[in-house]
Amino acid sequence: MAVSPFSDGTPAASQWPIPPKHFFDYELETNVGMAGTYFYHSHIGFQAVTAAGPLIVEDSGPPPYHYNEERIIALSDVFNKTDGQIESGLQASPFVWSGETANVLVNGKGQIEGSSESPNCDLASIDVEPDKTYRFRLIGGTALSFVTLAFEDHDQLVLIEADGAYTKPVNTSYLQIGSGQRFSVLLRTKPRSELTKNQFFMQVETRDRPTMTRSFAVLNYRYKGAKSKRLSTPHVPPMTLPPTTLGWLDYKLESLHFDPSFPLTAEVTRRVIIRTHQMITNTIVWMQDNAPWFETFPSEPYLVSLYKNDSIEFPSYERAIANNGIDPVTRAFPANIGEVIEIVVQNTGSDSGALDIHPFHAHGSHYYDLGSGNGTYDPVTNEKNIDGVQLAKRDTTMLYKYGETTTPGLNMGWRAWRLRVTEPGVWMIHCHILQHMIMGKSTFKDSESPDLVFNGKTDIDLDMTGMQTVWVMGNESEIMTVPADDIQGYLVYGGNVYGNESFDPSSVHFKGNNMR
């Protein structure tokens, strides 16, 4: 969504939420180089646990890798509470945890271990034919779960895409997928002559949680004479999957094609370090750089406020430079178009000393992932790791934990990115775990549109928390290039760019940041 600043889907940053019983149309212009695996999802509360789905941008010509067919494998979580119960508990005082995931579904299907069989609880079937090459598009649509997965008796996978960008081939026998991540792998099926059975399990296990959840799908061979039967969760797992591989794919995943725009170390203008921390009182809140977003801040989407010039001043680059990258007045991270910045997300011990993992995701342009490690980021040492590596562009990478506990506030784990700032707009960088995005979330009262109510409420979740940061990239003239008169429908909650059953929305087309 880098070319559509008012349509990024982040209610606290770029646009108002879609009101109840309304809809918002997206018309996507996909450019060369955008072919890949994506997914759409809500950015409000806990809705993305079910309000999500695959979004595939196909190649305009022959793809760079040959395969016969492709399959989508979308992962999602199931919890034993309603969305409302989970949201209320995560914001309550005293704090109430959501509970661990009850099951990781594959394409919306699965069986909870130990549950009775039911026609409505089938394992997902991934149908294939012998002696063919398949592209499996795997989508980490989980709310909480970081998983390891593999295919029974099929351990020769070739990874060819990550987060919507083709990569040089990487051989692997298993995958690690966090919330928000997407990968494509090639799998060559067995010849008919080698098959002694026609059904194999795909085994999925959660990692780095207090308890492990295991789930399955079925790799189902179809050929003349094959008899497929309904399989249930096996009592004995067919595979022993590896524990978390810290730094999986780091310094190994390279862009398929040479990128002349790759920013060299000598071009880096500054480094911004974002320290994540869990604050524990009667409730639990995730913060970044001690700047949680509570109650009335922000009172409306950031980009809207900049256009209306009514509640938030334009962030000061000078104040940010003097304050480790964040403007303390607007609580935003400003960046100039054309500069090259390194963003380091630093894991720290919580108030109790506990550590957690975080799949960090960036809206707007993709970044070059510089890898990860324990302790504190050392740019000199890490430069040796990336020397000669044509780093792949990513949009979601893992901040690992290197222990269960440590000293409160101690640096223990980092993830580093490099970004050439090219897309003016208001973009978010955040942890993709839904629970972490909710913990500390604020609501605001909609006083401008009291008629837009749902169940008697005018509260609207802005969904801004301590695990989310707002980046304002570009100056006022670069960001606000569209005349305000042309975008009034975006500036008010329930404006005319949102339709309902009796009203067609007004269409506003963008080319980059410009109208057309």
Side-chain angles (χ1 to χ4, degrees):
M1 302 307 299
V3 296
S4 303
F6 278 102
S7 304
D8 189 45
T10 49
S14 63
Q15 67 186 102
W16 291 103
I18 303 171
K21 300 182 181 181
H22 285 65
F23 63 89
F24 183 81
D25 282 340
Y26 287 91
E27 295 181 11
L28 305 180
E29 180 176 16
T30 54
N31 299 321
V32 174
M34 290 184 176
T37 307
Y38 305 85
F39 78 115
Y40 64 88
H41 60 85
S42 170
H43 228 286
I44 293 288
F46 210 67
Q47 292 178 6
V49 73
T50 53
L55 178 63
I56 307 302
V57 179
E58 297 180 344
D59 292 271
S60 57
Y65 290 97
H66 170 75
Y67 50 90
N68 299 106
E69 297 181 46
E70 63 181 55
R71 301 287 185 264
I72 294 173
I73 301 175
L75 309 176
S76 58
D77 280 335
V78 174
F79 294 87
N80 291 322
K81 294 181 180 180
T82 67
D83 294 2
Q85 289 172 330
I86 290 174
E87 288 188 46
S88 297
L90 294 175
Q91 300 172 83
S93 181
F95 175 82
V96 180
W97 177 235
S98 63
E100 298 301 308
T101 181
N103 194 237
V104 178
L105 301 182
V106 179
N107 294 338
K109 295 184 177 182
Q111 294 176 355
I112 296 177
E113 284 189 286
S115 67
S116 60
E117 293 188 15
S118 165
N120 296 322
C121 293
D122 290 330
L123 298 180
S125 179
I126 305 165
D127 292 342
V128 297
E129 295 178 3
D131 209 19
K132 286 187 175 182
T133 299
Y134 287 85
R135 177 180 183 170
F136 288 170
R137 296 179 183 265
L138 296 111
I139 299 173
T142 53
L144 173 67
S145 296
F146 173 49
V147 306
T148 294
L149 67 84
F151 296 88
E152 179 188 8
D153 290 343
H154 293 73
D155 59 359
Q156 297 183 27
L157 307 175
V158 182
L159 193 147
I160 62 167
E161 180 220 349
D163 298 344
Y166 282 112
T167 67
K168 292 181 180 179
V170 178
N171 296 323
T172 184
S173 60
Y174 66 96
L175 289 149
Q176 291 184 172
I177 306 177
S179 175
Q181 293 186 309
R182 293 93 57 212
F183 296 103
S184 282
V185 296
L186 299 181
L187 179 146
R188 182 72 183 179
T189 56
K190 296 177 180 293
R192 174 69 183 87
S193 59
E194 293 183 11
L195 289 170
T196 58
K197 62 179 182 177
N198 69 305
Q199 291 177 302
F200 302 83
F201 283 108
M202 183 184 84
Q203 185 170 317
V204 184
E205 295 178 355
T206 60
R207 292 290 182 262
D208 294 312
R209 300 301 311 162
T211 58
M212 187 267 284
T213 299
R214 181 184 292 118
S215 60
F216 296 89
V218 179
L219 185 66
N220 186 52
Y221 276 78
R222 290 188 175 275
Y223 52 86
K224 186 177 180 179
K227 295 182 179 180
S228 298
K229 60 182 180 179
R230 181 177 182 269
L231 296 181
S232 300
T233 297
H235 296 294
V236 178
M239 292 174 283
T240 300
L241 300 186
T244 298
T245 302
L246 299 172
W248 186 69
L249 295 180
D250 286 356
Y251 318 113
K252 298 178 183 177
L253 201 60
E254 296 190 78
S255 175
L256 178 60
H257 302 293
F258 173 73
D259 186 354
S261 65
F262 175 75
L264 302 176
T265 303
E267 298 179 79
V268 175
T269 54
R270 60 192 174 104
R271 183 175 300 112
V272 178
I273 299 176
I274 302 174
R275 301 180 77 249
T276 68
H277 184 73
Q278 188 185 76
M279 181 178 67
I280 302 174
T281 54
N282 284 334
T283 188
I284 299 177
V285 176
W286 283 102
M287 302 190 302
Q288 291 183 147
D289 280 1
N290 298 314
W293 296 69
F294 287 123
E295 299 175 356
T296 59
F297 194 95
S299 61
E300 60 186 358
Y302 209 107
L303 184 59
V304 169
S305 285
L306 295 182
Y307 265 91
K308 293 168 67 175
N309 194 27
D310 64 350
S311 64
I312 295 179
E313 65 174 280
F314 200 86
S316 166
Y317 187 85
E318 289 71 25
R319 284 197 301 256
I321 291 297
N323 195 54
N324 301 316
I326 185 172
D327 176 3
V329 175
T330 62
R331 303 187 205 176
F333 291 78
N336 291 331
I337 298 299
E339 73 170 319
V340 174
I341 57 177
E342 287 188 353
I343 300 171
V344 180
V345 187
Q346 182 73 59
N347 214 348
T348 68
S350 72
D351 283 359
S352 67
L355 291 161
D356 208 341
I357 60 169
H358 305 284
F360 263 87
H361 172 68
H363 290 243
S365 293
H366 286 45
Y367 53 78
Y368 298 93
D369 185 77
L370 302 182
S372 63
N374 196 1
T376 303
Y377 177 64
D378 182 344
V380 176
T381 299
N382 199 57
E383 187 65 24
K384 299 175 184 177
N385 294 328
I386 66 173
D387 183 37
V389 180
Q390 183 63 46
L391 297 173
K393 282 189 172 182
R394 302 292 303 274
D395 65 22
T396 310
T397 45
M398 295 300 303
L399 178 63
Y400 297 102
K401 64 177 182 179
Y402 292 81
E404 295 300 322
T405 59
T406 187
T407 303
L410 181 70
N411 290 347
M412 198 167 179
W414 54 267
R415 168 67 65 180
W417 305 337
R418 187 175 294 171
L419 173 69
R420 188 186 301 277
V421 181
T422 58
E423 300 293 342
V426 178
W427 313 109
M428 292 186 67
I429 293 177
H430 62 89
C431 172
H432 215 281
I433 291 175
L434 297 188
Q435 285 88 336
H436 294 179
M437 288 196 279
I438 290 171
M439 291 159 69
K441 180 180 65 178
S442 64
T443 63
F444 70 90
K445 286 283 187 178
D446 175 36
S447 58
E448 296 184 2
S449 308
D451 55 317
L452 295 173
V453 298
F454 185 59
N455 292 340
K457 296 181 180 180
T458 56
D459 289 351
I460 306 166
D461 289 332
L462 265 188
D463 218 12
M464 282 301 291
T465 78
M467 288 303 280
Q468 304 187 72
T469 60
V470 169
W471 290 72
V472 179
M473 297 186 175
N475 57 36
E476 291 182 74
S477 62
E478 291 165 331
I479 292 176
M480 295 181 284
T481 59
V482 182
D485 290 342
D486 293 331
I487 52 171
Q488 287 301 308
Y490 289 103
L491 302 185
V492 294
Y493 177 61
N496 63 11
V497 296
Y498 300 91
N500 56 36
E501 61 181 10
S502 60
F503 174 76
D504 290 330
S506 174
S507 296
V508 181
H509 295 118
F510 289 87
K511 177 67 174 179
N513 266 38
N514 300 308
M515 301 279 290
R516 61 179 178 141

